[in-house]
């Protein structure tokens, strides 16, 4: 019955409409040498020394440090979330290897550069501020705008004076954009639209209950706010985190490329590759059934060019050129060899 079903339906259900390629591949990380690492460490040591100077300008030092983690000057709880600048998704504000030092450091204390081999970085951490803030804040606010700075200031002063003299907030709010929000300080990133600066954040966090105050947005907008309720307390930190990728120098890159190239060019086909690789530190891995629906090679990002090579009418035994791709802060070389082809049908 199975055989009859197969023969009857094979054209519709069981016929593969394209070739399937089984490959061997070498995937090799291009690792920085000790000299590459020392170059980054030396730069961070210099930055650490500049931070120790009297009247050191932290904002300037952070700006010119080429850090992967920009300094913003805000207070954050240790479990805070923020926005990933690359993917525009919400992520933890602090990486795990930074959290320990943020929690343990005293204000002004600098942790000497330390390496994170998981993502190929060196970091320096210093707490600029460390304080206790409310865990949850509820506030209401009125936004006012004007093309004229004079008119904006006059309107803000008038509304603030009226509110301080017991005018009804809801009645005034009807004529402007107004809102009431309650937020946990660990979710501060959600409030940055109306708390735009560290100074404004400090105004909100330290405001007296039911008192009114004003946040300025440049020359054309102001926000009159009232903190209605504060709940609980939590530690918050303003850490300077200078994080640098450990780059692979041109010399290191060329050495790694030449070493792999010598292996690849010494092999005329996949059988020789299997044999010659035994005397090297490289590892030969396998992937089966690569086809036009495949998204990449070996589930590695940035390998589309190599995928196109595999699908481009290759023969069994052929070996690709060396391809390069980047994953996170790391660079890799990848080479593929055609082990077997299952023809369409």
């Amino acid at each position: 019955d199975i055989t009859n079903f197969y023969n009857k339906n094979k054209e519709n259900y069981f016929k593969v409409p394209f070739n399937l390629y089984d490959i061997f591949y070498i995937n090799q990380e291009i690792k920085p040498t000790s000299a590459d690492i020392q170059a980054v460490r030396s730069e961070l040591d210099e930055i650490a020394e500049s931070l120790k100077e009297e009247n050191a300008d932290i904002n300037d030092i952070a700006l010119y440090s080429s850090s992967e983690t920009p300094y913003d000057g805000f207070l954050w709880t240790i479990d805070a979330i923020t926005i990933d600048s690359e993917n525009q998704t919400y992520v933890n504000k602090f990486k795990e290897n930074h959290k320990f030092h943020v929690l343990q450091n005293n204000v002004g204390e600098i942790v000497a550069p330390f390496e994170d081999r998981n993502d190929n970085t060196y970091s320096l951490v210093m707490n600029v501020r460390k304080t206790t803030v409310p865990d949850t804040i509820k506030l209401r606010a009125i936004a006012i705008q004007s093309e004229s700075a004079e008119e904006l200031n006059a309107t803000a002063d008038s509304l603030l004076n009226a509110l301080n003299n017991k005018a009804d907030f809801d009645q005034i709010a009807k004529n402007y954009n107004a809102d009431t929000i309650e937020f946990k300080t660990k979710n501060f990133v959600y409030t940055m639209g109306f708390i735009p600066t560290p100074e404004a954040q400090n105004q909100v966090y330290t405001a007296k209950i039911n008192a009114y105050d004003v946040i300025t947005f440049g020359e054309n907008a102001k926000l009159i706010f009232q903190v209605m309720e504060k709940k609980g307390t939590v530690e918050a930190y303003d850490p300077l985190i200078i994080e640098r990728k450990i780059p692979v120098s041109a010399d290191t890159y060329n050495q790694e490329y030449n070493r792999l190239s010598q292996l690849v060019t010494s092999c005329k086909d996949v059988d020789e590759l299997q044999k010659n690789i035994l005397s090297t530190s490289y590892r030969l891995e396998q992937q089966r059934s690569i086809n036009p629906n495949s998204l990449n090679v070996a589930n590695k990002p940035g390998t589309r060019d190599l995928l196109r090579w595999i699908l481009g009418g290759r023969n069994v035994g052929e070996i690709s050129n060396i391809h390069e791709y980047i994953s996170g802060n790391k660079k890799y070389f990848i080479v593929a060899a055609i082990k077997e082809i299952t023809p369409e049908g």
Side-chain angles (χ1 to χ4, degrees):
D1 288 344
I2 292 173
T3 302
N4 288 336
F5 180 82
Y6 170 74
N7 288 330
K8 183 179 178 180
N9 294 281
K10 63 183 179 182
E11 291 299 319
N12 294 326
Y13 294 112
F14 304 112
K15 187 173 182 178
V16 180
F18 36 66
N19 292 346
L20 301 177
Y21 296 84
D22 294 349
I23 67 165
F24 284 127
Y25 67 90
I26 299 169
N27 185 56
Q28 181 68 15
E29 181 186 347
I30 313 168
K31 295 182 179 180
T33 63
S34 56
D36 297 336
I37 294 171
Q38 185 56 42
V40 174
R41 184 182 179 90
S42 296
E43 289 182 20
L44 286 180
D45 282 335
E46 290 179 10
I47 292 172
E49 289 303 314
S50 67
L51 286 168
K52 295 176 184 176
E53 294 177 4
E54 189 175 355
N55 299 321
D57 190 320
I58 291 172
N59 288 294
D60 268 2
I61 292 171
L63 181 63
Y64 294 107
S65 67
S66 301
S67 175
E68 297 291 312
T69 306
Y71 175 64
D72 55 35
F74 287 104
L75 287 166
W76 301 88
T77 60
I78 203 66
D79 58 349
I81 59 173
T82 187
I83 300 176
D84 185 320
S85 59
E86 292 183 1
N87 299 320
Q88 293 296 298
T89 56
Y90 290 102
V91 296
N92 291 329
K93 171 68 177 176
F94 301 116
K95 291 168 54 176
E96 287 302 319
N97 69 321
H98 294 152
K99 279 185 180 181
F100 174 81
H101 299 293
V102 172
L103 287 169
Q104 297 298 319
N105 284 15
N106 295 318
V107 172
E109 181 182 352
I110 300 170
V111 176
F114 56 92
E115 183 180 3
D116 185 348
R117 296 188 178 182
N118 291 323
D119 65 358
N120 234 25
T121 59
Y122 250 106
S123 298
L124 174 154
V125 176
M126 182 184 82
N127 276 331
V128 179
R129 292 183 293 158
K130 184 177 179 179
T131 189
T132 300
V133 299
D135 177 68
T136 304
I137 296 175
K138 182 178 181 180
L139 61 81
R140 57 184 179 177
I142 296 171
I144 52 177
Q145 293 179 294
S146 175
E147 292 299 320
S148 164
E150 285 188 15
E151 183 181 336
L152 179 69
N153 292 332
T155 302
D157 290 343
S158 174
L159 295 184
L160 194 60
N161 184 59
L163 290 167
N164 284 329
N165 283 287
K166 310 303 181 185
D168 185 87
F169 182 95
D170 293 330
Q171 287 298 319
I172 292 177
K174 287 180 180 179
N175 299 315
Y176 301 91
N177 291 324
D179 201 2
T180 300
I181 70 162
E182 182 173 335
F183 68 95
K184 295 188 74 66
T185 50
K186 73 174 183 179
N187 297 329
F188 171 68
V189 68
Y190 295 131
T191 71
M192 294 179 77
F194 67 89
I195 305 179
T197 64
E199 293 74 21
Q201 184 193 47
N202 187 61
Q203 283 180 261
V204 172
Y205 284 10
T206 60
K208 294 181 179 179
I209 301 298
N210 293 327
Y212 291 98
D213 201 353
V214 180
I215 294 173
T216 300
F217 291 76
E219 296 181 355
N220 303 115
K222 289 179 182 286
L223 194 78
I224 298 175
F225 73 93
Q226 179 191 44
V227 172
M228 304 167 69
E229 189 177 8
K230 298 179 182 179
K231 300 177 186 176
T233 57
V234 64
E235 287 294 314
Y237 308 86
D238 170 20
L240 171 63
I241 299 173
I242 297 176
E243 182 182 36
R244 293 282 296 276
K245 293 179 183 178
I246 303 173
V248 174
S249 66
D251 285 344
T252 301
Y253 181 96
N254 291 335
Q255 288 171 9
E256 287 297 318
Y257 184 91
N258 291 337
R259 189 165 72 93
L260 181 55
S261 181
Q262 286 175 3
L263 170 65
V264 173
T265 56
S266 71
C267 305
K268 69 176 186 292
D269 57 28
V270 70
D271 293 331
E272 283 198 1
L273 181 62
Q274 285 183 271
K275 177 182 176 183
N276 293 350
I277 201 171
L278 296 175
S279 60
T280 73
S281 60
Y282 296 117
R283 187 175 67 178
L284 210 54
E285 300 179 78
Q286 295 187 57
Q287 183 179 1
R288 300 181 185 278
S289 301
I290 293 177
N291 62 73
N293 292 327
S294 301
L295 299 177
N296 47 39
V297 178
N299 200 29
K300 308 296 183 185
T303 54
R304 297 283 293 182
D305 285 343
L306 184 56
L307 178 63
R308 281 191 283 270
W309 177 86
I310 294 168
L311 300 175
R314 303 272 74 88
N315 297 314
V316 171
E318 285 191 64
I319 302 173
S320 75
N321 292 327
I322 298 172
H323 291 253
E324 178 188 327
Y325 71 92
I326 296 173
S327 179
N329 290 334
K330 298 181 180 181
K331 287 185 176 181
Y332 296 82
F333 288 136
I334 187 166
V335 174
I338 307 300
K339 178 189 175 189
E340 189 175 341
I341 301 174
T342 304
E344 65 177 275

